Amino acid sequence: MSQYKLKIKKGDTAIVLSGKDKGKQGKVLQALPKKNKVVVEGINKVKRHTKPNQNTPKGGIITKEAPLCAAKVMVVCPACSKPTRVAKKDVDGKMVRVCKKCGELLDQAK
């Protein structure tokens, strides 16, 4: 599998386009460009059975977020609060991400 440049970054707000969590929004906790996946807070929850160890002395069933395909999520613009595609724009010699709907910068809001 080839590496893919993700248009979504850690800290962005994302909305799920398809699957069991369709329509839900959450903050991107982790971006995995080599696998073309993202981990979104509160989305794609899975249960994991764990043995007792130092971190979890009791063990048991732990619920956590699993990675989701990056194609299934879309960035939500902080300015217009709508799901949008991402454009690249040169501002002061730096390439920044821009909302295609309202034209506001996506990188500056963090």
Side-chain angles (χ1 to χ4, degrees), residues 14 16 18 20-21 27-32 35-48 62-70 72-73:
V16 180
S18 65
K20 65 180 182 180
D21 293 318
K27 186 177 176 184
V28 177
L29 301 174
Q30 194 178 16
L32 307 164
K35 295 182 178 179
N36 194 25
K37 293 182 183 260
V38 290
V39 178
V40 184
E41 188 176 31
I43 309 285
N44 198 23
K45 292 264 199 173
V46 293
K47 291 186 187 262
R48 170 104 193 226
I62 295 172
T63 305
K64 65 177 197 172
E65 292 93 358
L68 190 65
C69 183
K72 287 187 172 191
V73 296

Side-chain angles (χ1 to χ4, degrees), residues 55 61-62 75 90 110:
N55 296 338
I61 302 170
I62 295 172
V75 179
D90 187 28
K110 291 178 211 152

